[in-house]
Amino acid sequence: MSELNEQGNALLRLLADGEFHSGEKIGQLLGVSRTSVNNYIKGLQGIGLDIYKVPGRGYCSASKIELLDKDKIRQLCGDKNIQVEQIVESTNQILLDKIPDLVNGQTCIAEYQLAGRGRRGRTWISPFASHLYFSFYWRFDSGIDKVSGLSLLVGIATVNALEKIGIQGVSLKWPNDLYYQGKKLAGILIELNAQATAACHCVIGIGINVKMPAEQAKLIDQPWIDLHSLTAGDVDRNLLSATLITELQSLLPDYEKNGLAPYLPRWFELDCFLDKQVNLLIADKVTTGICRGINEQGALLLEIAGQIKEFVGGEISLRLAK
Ligand code: BTN
């Protein structure tokens, strides 16, 4: 964990209003020369902030920056176990490193991830103060068996939270993704610390695209969308975090007791591929069938030549057949 230095933070707070600020004024504020101002600007651009310069007017952030605020999140969701960091390797790793000292619901959120992790060893692009990088801890005393449908439940909780803050029309793609009209909006990465006979410690990582900076967009190799494109106003990441915490806190105890069965109707409502022809990719093998939703264990149901087959496992991915 680390932070921007004092000058970096002062510059960030100044530019957060989205207005122009002259190099001279910035230099005075930071107590540095005009050349050094440029270096500080480059530093912020380097971590993904969209800052530009207009001759005669000065420097400006492409949009207002609302930073994460631990007190605001705590106030909104009434939860005390929230850690908010500026710079981390990965919010999932922060929590994984603290097992078994965590309590259920412990949350880590960061402005920036140096090594954000996606599924299948991919990097999760994590520009500063742009998106939500959120990790939440839950312990299943009954062991690893309960975990097979967890990512689906978390997907439902995330869509519920988005709807509660006014974002409609988001769907789910088995097993871990949130989509909006064929474009990826968010991903879920659950990392476990478990032994066959003992409690299963789960770190639930959720990354949601909130407002993608133009430069970072070039690094993404699949169709994507962000919340900013789906709403008229700005998205409040503090409110989104608090709503997500409340939703997970409310659904997880019930899921632990009753499993995924009570949530199947909701999944079928949100499944973006339901009754569509899809290709299932397992390693290099492609299987084509019609998506028929999921079962109570969270397995994908695929109709192949009139028969329903079940598929489970983290290394499978699903695409719409052309
Ligand atoms: C995916 O590949 O779709 C899953 C992406 C999960 C990203 C989130 S961001 C918060 C948490 N910390 C990480 O390092 N990854 C997850």
Side-chain angles (χ1 to χ4, degrees), residues 70-205:
K70 183 165 74 181
D71 295 332
K72 191 171 168 194
I73 301 172
R74 282 180 170 177
Q75 222 169 35
L76 287 164
C77 67
D79 204 309
K80 295 269 174 291
N81 290 312
I82 301 162
Q83 179 181 358
V84 175
E85 299 294 340
Q86 249 188 358
I87 301 173
V88 298
E89 291 288 316
S90 148
T91 52
N92 269 18
Q93 194 58 48
I94 293 282
L95 293 185
L96 284 167
D97 287 344
K98 291 203 262 186
I99 291 171
D101 300 327
L102 301 173
V103 294
N104 276 355
Q106 207 140 332
T107 303
C108 177
I109 312 169
E111 294 288 13
Y112 184 67
Q113 296 188 116
L114 290 158
R117 300 204 280 255
R119 284 177 70 217
R120 282 181 266 134
R122 300 177 89 180
T123 300
W124 189 255
I125 307 280
S126 305
F128 194 94
S130 305
H131 303 314
L132 188 66
Y133 318 119
F134 175 103
S135 297
F136 185 93
Y137 168 79
W138 202 264
R139 172 192 154 121
F140 290 90
D141 286 321
S142 53
I144 200 162
D145 289 353
K146 263 275 140 64
V147 177
S148 66
L150 182 60
S151 73
L152 313 185
L153 186 274
V154 171
I156 291 173
T158 310
V159 174
N160 290 351
L162 290 171
E163 288 184 355
K164 284 182 178 159
I165 66 159
I167 290 156
Q168 311 296 329
V170 177
S171 59
L172 291 168
K173 177 164 99 73
W174 185 91
N176 287 306
D177 292 334
L178 278 76
Y179 265 64
Y180 184 88
Q181 294 182 353
K183 293 174 184 163
K184 183 157 169 168
L185 174 70
I188 296 163
L189 175 70
I190 298 179
E191 297 189 83
L192 305 179
N193 180 322
Q195 270 129 28
T197 52
C200 178
H201 302 270
C202 298
V203 171
I204 298 165

Side-chain angles (χ1 to χ4, degrees), residues 42-51 112 126-130 211-216:
K42 278 193 187 141
L44 293 187
Q45 287 167 333
I47 56 173
L49 284 160
D50 211 347
I51 298 166
Y112 184 67
S126 305
F128 194 94
S130 305
K211 189 167 190 189
M212 186 72 80
E215 282 304 308
Q216 307 291 315

Side-chain angles (χ1 to χ4, degrees), residues 214-225:
E215 282 304 308
Q216 307 291 315
K218 296 178 190 160
L219 306 172
I220 301 181
D221 60 359
Q222 59 177 314
W224 61 267
I225 195 157

